[in-house]
Short mmCIF file of all heavy atoms in Angstrom, two decimals:
data_model
loop_
_atom_site.label_atom_id
_atom_site.label_comp_id
_atom_site.label_asym_id
_atom_site.label_seq_id
_atom_site.Cartn_x
_atom_site.Cartn_y
_atom_site.Cartn_z
N ALA A 28 -6.44 -9.65 5.05
CA ALA A 28 -6.35 -10.21 6.40
C ALA A 28 -6.01 -11.70 6.36
O ALA A 28 -5.19 -12.19 7.14
CB ALA A 28 -7.65 -9.99 7.16
N ASN A 30 -4.79 -13.77 3.70
CA ASN A 30 -3.61 -14.28 2.99
C ASN A 30 -2.35 -14.34 3.86
O ASN A 30 -1.66 -15.36 3.85
CB ASN A 30 -3.36 -13.48 1.72
CG ASN A 30 -4.33 -13.84 0.62
OD1 ASN A 30 -5.05 -14.83 0.69
ND2 ASN A 30 -4.36 -13.02 -0.42
N SER A 62 -24.22 1.92 -5.08
CA SER A 62 -25.46 1.86 -5.86
C SER A 62 -25.92 3.25 -6.26
O SER A 62 -26.28 3.49 -7.43
CB SER A 62 -26.54 1.14 -5.06
OG SER A 62 -27.76 1.15 -5.74
N THR A 113 -14.96 4.21 -6.56
CA THR A 113 -16.08 3.42 -6.05
C THR A 113 -15.64 1.97 -5.85
O THR A 113 -15.96 1.36 -4.82
CB THR A 113 -17.28 3.50 -7.01
OG1 THR A 113 -17.65 4.87 -7.18
CG2 THR A 113 -18.47 2.73 -6.47
#
Side-chain angles (χ1 to χ4, degrees):
N30 285 347
S62 176
T113 303

